[in-house]
Every structure is written in structure tokens, then in C-alpha cells.
Amino acid sequence: MVVADTGASMRGLLVGLGDTPGAVARVTADEAFAALTRRHVDAAFRLAWAILGSTHDAEDAVQDAFALAWRKRSSLRDPDRFEAWFGRILVNVCRERLRGRARSPVRELAVPSAGATGDIPTERPDTAAAPPDVGLRLAVGVALAGLDADHRIVVVLRYWADLTVDEIADRVGVPAGTVKSRLHYALRALGPLLEDVR
Amino acid sequence: MTADEPMTQQERTLRERLQAGLVPPSTPDRLLLTLDAIADHAVRAERPRRRLLDHAPSFGRPGLAGRLRVGLAVVAAIVIVAGALTLGSSFWGQQGVAATPFPALPSAAPHPLPMINQGAWVSPDVAWVEASDDQLYLTDDGGMTWSGPRPLPAMYLREIGFRDASNGWAVFAPQQVEQAPVDVYLTHDGGRSWSKTTVGTISSAVDGHMVGLTLHFSDAEHGVVLAGDYVSLAGGGGMGIVPMTCLGWTTGDGGATWRQLTDAPCALHDWWATPQVGVLLSVETGGPETWLTTDGGETWTKGRLPADMTSAPEVLVFTLAADGTPRLVTAPGGGTADPITTHAGSALETRDGGRTWAVAHDVAPPEDHGAASSGGSAAAGPDDWLITWMRGGVAPATLYETQDAGRTWREVTTLPNGLQGLRWLDRLHAIGGGLDDSGCSRPDATPCHVPTLLLTNDGGETWHGLPIEDPLFPARPTASPAATPTATPTAMPFDSEQAALIARGYGETVPNEYGGVYLDQSTGHVVVLFTANLEQHRQAILDKIGASVPLEVRQAKYTMVKLLALQERISSDMGSKQPAWLKAIPAMLIGSGPDEMHNWLAIEASSANPDAPALILAHYDVPAGMLHVSSDGTGVALMPRGWVDVSVSVPASVTVPPGGSWDIEMVPDGPGLWGGGDIGYGVEPGKSAAVPATEGGWTVRLIACCDATVVGTGHVTVMAGGHVPLVVTVR
């Protein structure tokens, strides 16, 4: 087991369980970090999917975010702050993907049976014949697709993930006032689009 | 609007509809597998060995950046086998070479080649690769067999390039270090010995910065190294990655001496249409910029892309038209690896030596799969030749070729299942890799993703597969029943660590055949190694741990007893004891321990001598593969050192929460100093932390938990063997 000098408290998560050559029951800081990341995979994927609206993009974003997290893990000084710390990384990655998508718009296909592929359709189909929940999903997808990256992220974080304005400000890295103004704008933009749901 | 602030009716409606309308699908299994692989790879790469010094010195931060340099660039590349092969300097000299048929490869034969990080293919027969075990391997028969391993001379490898089976170059530099040395190593004997030249230093110590490095030799004598400190403006509304500092060096004598470029170009990526003609692309304020060279990197012409490209496009390939006009085949930027497969792009060309670029014609994807597309590595050559692959959704992928720079495409073939990465040597020869999941449909197929090297010598029409070892998916089942993993159809909860301890306990009862045990985190298997009687031992262990535990039994070459005996033999040379032969290198052995996964004894050395790993291996004179030596490449452990006894003074106006502490960051006054190590130190009120550091001046910073704020600084001068007290006042 590696120990720090007297009086020093070791940074991170190093937990030595044995020092026998060949021992396998050893949990290192990295293994602990790995366990931490695994616990958050599902939540990360769900949030990335809600922001990006695509299973494929969400997968990529979560992979990117976890790889970034690995590279930057030395900057995580308090494991209890992992969720917020990783949340910032993930939101940033999603934002970059959305911005990239805006620079080179991809015409996503309208999926007749929404949800079958896991992607959110971004074109409004004829919803008259679709089941109600499909109609809602389609409408939400279309509405979110009309927002730019910054507004879409604050909307999802606030109304889908139920984060407070201060928490969103922390995740996005902007002042709380900016979050509020983005929410205000987004509400105006989304309001009419959601009026005729169902 | 805060947590306590109520929502308006409009907001509540929106919330209700979003939560009902945004219902995520289940997390894909493949994502879980990939993330496990990332974590597992990193954990294994950094698993500590027994250290004989108080802290193993390291130059800069722990070596993850170096280990994962491929994977971090494109995360998926962590599971891309052979995905990062680079083109050798003679790449374009092989046009029109006669096809030499590959011998039939035994598709299920075990092979010692580990997963490939990067490599250089220098002729249809000869290729060098740097594998995931940080060693070099060579093939001189087109990939059918591989020799090695040969240890790298240092850590933090960035690029390698070989001219032939003997002569090669490698460039090394750590990340996130103040004044990081950029070291170019040369070998003239196939990696058995190396000479080192530090061409300069580059700094990227600020969090979020990274070092970009490019190495290119246009012939045996002329080469260029470009280094840059880059920062991502992703969080600041910028345009992505932009350079902060750009440096370059050229050589005209094969790398023996280097001259710094006075006006070095900035770029993260380089593309070469011929050994002499290359282009770089970067983003500056105002839009993307290019640098074009036609003399192998000696001189560069700065230019701009068309004005309507306000963000950096993704460059697919750099090629030359039939009349020699340089052409960049691009697609709109956006973070995808090869967007040509999903988006229409442009072929840009320059007719004024690289100062301006204009659209020559549009480039459309060969097939429209919409957003479901993904693409792979492409290659190009003179005369508007370009080849790439893409898939719509899931595998298999299709290979496409164009002879007119993307105007029209020809479907070449359907690629082997699981292909992830591909590099072309010329129009006939390509080497690639992937995870063959063709066996995954079998209920007992765990692990079922078999890392495979793929080879073609007829322009992609036919492919040959060669299974390779992969630390992410080790211990593939062999034909031997003894090595077949045992997995129950209905998984029962089990404690894998407890099972591993039981297996080890059993193994130690048969010391003459027991080779070690480890947990394979990518599969969840307990893997036990024996040198003989594998089936007998498998049954014996299953009797003790129960059939519900997924168990693999692998063939070992060396028993744990032999590895520990070797460690005992080496222990007298460890640390500051330093016998005369180590002083002569000079080197210090700073850590050692059995590596069960590789079934070898691993030694960590500290030495600036690039030949240190080979010399240490030669000294111990043990059978091949029994000992693995790695070096930090700096010799920092040999430097005289002392300690800074850091304590804090907390003014009455500052409130410290119970249990509060501050992290200590050591910032050297100049390059080449070492302090703190890779553990990290903290200090609490009323206590003192002794932080080791080499001789020289140091600024000591106190860092507040969680937000990385510097709350106090001090400066000391460290003398060898001494303790320097330092009291830092918290602001």
C-alpha cells in the first residue's frame, strides 16, 4: 500500500487493501473511479439522449464524456461532487455535438413508429393516425429541434431533469441570470409549438 | 427562479409534456461494454506495482494521457484494433506494386500480438506497430507473423515512424507539464537501441490544454517535428480547439541535429499527399487556416479556406489532382470522425501555392444513410483516388472507392464483420482491425468479441483475418476445453474478488504450476493461470468456488514462484541501493511486481538513457517474456532531492470546516524538476506535509477542495537531503 508522509492526507480515492505481490484484492483510486463512473452510466445516457434526441449521438456523447472524465479525473477532488463534476463534462460534450449538428445540419428521418429506434423525430408527421403518446413524443421532438444548443440544454436540464437554475448555471458554466434569460426565450419559442399537442 | 421558486402554469405544462414526451430507451449494452473497456483499460494501465521508493517518480501527471492517447482522441478507438496505424514514409512510393498474395491465415490460431495502438507500414511486407503493452512489434511477411516485443525507450510516446525494418523515429512528450521536453528518439537497429535528442520544450500545464505533436520524415535525412499547445474553447463559445503556442523543428541529417523553425505552423493534424507535399489545418480567430509545404516541411505557406467556412471543416483526405493541384476533400465540421460518410462536402483546391483555396466541386456521400451512418478511416493518393468505408446503422460496412475525388463512387466490397479501423499502404494493401462478433450469437460465447487483425492485398476485394491478443478482452478461449470460459445460463450473484482469492489459495497449493490470478473487468471473469494440467485445475477451482462463477483458465509460461524468485533477485538492486552496473547506465529501479495478466515480472526504471530498458533486460538475462522493463525516460529519480515541510497558517477570518484540508500543488521554477509525485498531497490545519522534490526552486500552492481555487502560495528552494519548512497563509 502506498502511503503518504506523516501529516499528509492523500488526495483522491486510494484504498489499499493489500500489498502482497500478486494480490488481486486491491482497489486503487482508478478502480474506485471506474466504479463511480459505472454507477452513473444510465443517468448519463438518459440525459444525453434527452438533450441530443438520438441514441447514436447519446452513446457517442457518453463515451466522449467518460473518456474526458478519465483524463481529467485528477481534477475531481471530492468524490461526493462527482455527479456535478461529470454533469458539467457531459453537458459540454452534448453542447458541442449540438453545435456541430447546427453547423452541418443532418436531416433526420421522420420515424413512423416513434420510439422504435430510440431517436426523437424532428419532422412533424401526420399525427392524426398516431397514438397519443407518439403524437406527444413527435411534438416534443419537433419543438426541441427548433431550439439552438444553448436553449435546448437549459430546457432539458430545467424541465426534464428538474435541476434548479443554480444547478444549471453550474453545469453549463454561465451565470444564473443567463440561464433565466435562456429559459425565458425558450419558453416563448416552445409555447406555441406545444399548444396543439393531442 | 431558484429551487424554491414555483413554476408558472406554462412551465408546469412544459415540464409535464417534456417528461412524458422524452422517454429515453434503455442504455445500450454496447455502451456499457465500451465504458467498462475504457475503465478497465485505464485501470490496468495504471495498476500500481510494489514500489520501493516512497513514491515512484513521474514526470508530470500519471501516464493515462500517454496510454490513452488514441482512445482519448476518439473514444471508440480504445476498442479499435489497429485503428491508429499511420502511414509510413514510403507510403506513396509503392504505387503500382505487384500484389503478393497473402498466405492463408489460420483464422482461429492464437497469436502473441497485442492490441495495436499505432504503427508504420513501410512496405507491403514490413510494418512496425506499437502495441497496447507499450512495446514494438515487427512483421516482415505482410502481417502473418510478428517478432518482438522490443521495449520503448521512454514513456509518453506520441508518434513513431519507420523507414524500413531497422531505421525509425519516435517522438515523446508528456501532457499537462510545464516546459515538457519534446524528445525525438532514433533507432538504426530495429528498436534494440535508441539515441535521444531533446528538440525543445512545450508547455501545456494549464488544465484543459493539451500538446499536439506531429512527426514526419520525407526521406531518410529530412524530417519535421511540429508541437503545439492547444486549448479547447468548447465551454466558452469558441470554435473548438485552437492553438496557443506553436513550435517546429526540422532536421537534414536523419534526426541527429535539429533546427527550430522561425515561423512554425500551427495545426493539430497533418495530411501528406506525397512525402514532400503536405498540408496542416487549424483554427484561428477569423476562421480556419492552412499551411502547405512542398518541401517536406522545411517551409510552409499560410493560407485561408473559403470565407464562408467560418468553422473548421473536417478534412477527409489531402490529395493531388492528376495535374498536381493540391486538393483537400472536406466535409462540414461537427465532431464526427469522418463526416463525408454522412454529409455532403467539398473538394477544395489551391492554384497559388496554398495561399487561397476554392471549391473545385462538391462531394456527396457514396450512400445516404442519414444520421444512422458511421464511417471509417479513409485514404487517398495522387490522381484523385480516394477510398473510404461507411455503414448504415449496424455492421457490416461497405468499402467505397472514387477515382475522381468524390464525384462518383464505386462499391468495392462488403467489409468483414466488426471492422473498426483501417489504414492503407497503397491501392492494394491495407491493414485494419476490429472486434469480430460473429460468434456472439452462441449462448456460450463469452467473451465473444475477438480482436482481429485484417489484411488485404488486392485493394479490399478479399480479406484475411488474424486473431490477436487484446488487454481489453484477454484470455480468449482457445480450442482447449480447459480454456473455455464457464458461464452459467442464469447468472447468480457472486463475489468475484472472494472467488479470486479462493482461486489464488488453491493455486498456491500447486506452486510448480500456478501462474497467477486476476479479475477481467471487461468480462467479469476470474482468470487463473497455470503452466500445465489446465483442465484438472479448472475442475478443482470450480469445486471450491461453485459453477456460478465465470472462470477462465489460461496457459501460463512462468509460474508465480519463478516470477517472485526473479523479483527477489532483483530486489537487491532496487531503489537507492543502485549497484555499479545500474550507475553506469545510469538508471534506478523504482518499482517491481508480477503482472499476472501478462505473466511477466514488471520493472519500472527511471533513466534518461533511451537504452536503459534493453540494458536492464540484458543484465538479468532471463528467458524471453519473463521480464518487462519500462522507463520514465527522464531519470528524475536519480536527481538529488529533499523535502518541503508544508504547513498552513489560517487567519481568524477564514473558517475551516471540520475535516477540511487543502491540496498541495508543486510548481517548479524551471524545466526538469520533479516534486510531489503522482499521488497528490494534502495538508490539514495544525499539521505538516512533507512533500518530496528535487533540488531547485519551487512555488507551493494550496488548492481549495472542489473548485480548484488557489488559496495561498509560497516559495522555497530545496536542497538535497534537507527539509525546508514552509508556512503558507490561507487567504
Side-chain angles (χ1 to χ4, degrees), chain B residues 299-318:
Chain B
T299 58
W300 298 84
T301 301
K302 189 173 180 177
R304 281 207 178 274
L305 294 182
D308 58 348
M309 287 189 177
T310 54
S311 63
E314 301 280 353
V315 171
L316 182 62
V317 285
F318 177 55

Side-chain angles (χ1 to χ4, degrees), chain B residues 59 66 123 132 161 169-170 192 212 239 283 297 309 312 316 494 637 643 679:
Chain B
F59 199 84
S123 78
S132 53
W169 308 269
R192 290 182 178 83
M239 290 182 293
V283 174
M309 287 189 177
L316 182 62
F494 65 94
W643 290 265
I679 289 180

Side-chain angles (χ1 to χ4, degrees), chain B residues 484-556:
Chain B
T484 302
T486 303
T488 54
T490 53
M492 298 291 289
F494 65 94
D495 183 338
S496 55
E497 291 195 352
Q498 182 68 21
L501 288 171
I502 293 171
R504 188 180 70 176
Y506 166 78
E508 288 172 351
T509 65
V510 283
N512 292 335
E513 295 177 353
Y514 170 65
V517 61
Y518 63 91
L519 297 178
D520 183 335
Q521 294 182 8
S522 64
T523 62
H525 292 172
V526 176
V527 185
V528 195
L529 290 78
F530 293 95
T531 57
N533 300 315
L534 274 60
E535 177 59 18
Q536 173 190 324
H537 295 314
R538 190 176 74 91
Q539 289 299 337
I541 294 172
L542 282 176
D543 288 345
K544 294 179 183 298
I545 63 176
S548 65
V549 179
L551 172 71
E552 292 182 36
V553 176
R554 278 182 56 197
Q555 180 73 49

Side-chain angles (χ1 to χ4, degrees), chain A residues 1-137:
Chain A
M1 177 177 175
V2 184
V3 293
D5 289 353
T6 306
S9 62
M10 289 198 315
R11 177 194 302 166
L13 303 160
L14 194 68
V15 183
L17 297 180
D19 195 25
T20 308
V24 294
R26 178 183 294 165
V27 179
T28 68
D30 284 338
E31 285 165 334
F33 188 87
L36 210 51
T37 58
R38 287 188 190 105
R39 273 211 300 274
H40 289 80
V41 171
D42 282 332
F45 175 76
R46 284 197 300 272
L47 178 60
W49 181 90
I51 293 174
L52 296 168
S54 153
T55 301
H56 178 77
D57 282 355
E59 262 188 87
D60 285 353
V62 173
Q63 285 184 21
D64 285 353
F66 273 105
L68 271 173
W70 269 102
R71 187 170 57 182
K72 296 163 71 74
R73 69 193 187 286
S74 63
S75 66
L76 174 63
R77 299 170 192 280
D78 178 1
D80 290 340
R81 295 272 301 158
F82 178 88
E83 190 173 355
W85 175 83
F86 179 70
R88 278 195 294 273
I89 295 174
L90 179 64
V91 167
N92 249 332
V93 169
C94 290
R95 180 172 175 272
E96 277 308 289
R97 295 188 81 85
L98 282 175
R99 287 166 61 86
R101 193 188 290 174
R103 286 196 293 266
S104 52
V106 179
R107 180 181 173 276
E108 296 195 19
L109 301 176
V111 183
S113 56
T117 66
D119 288 0
I120 301 174
T122 55
E123 290 191 349
R124 183 184 295 277
D126 176 11
T127 57
D133 59 328
V134 173
L136 178 60
R137 291 184 188 194

Side-chain angles (χ1 to χ4, degrees), chain B residues 3 13 60 120 165 211 217 263 330 499 505 507:
Chain B
T13 303
V211 168
F217 270 82
D263 188 16
T330 69

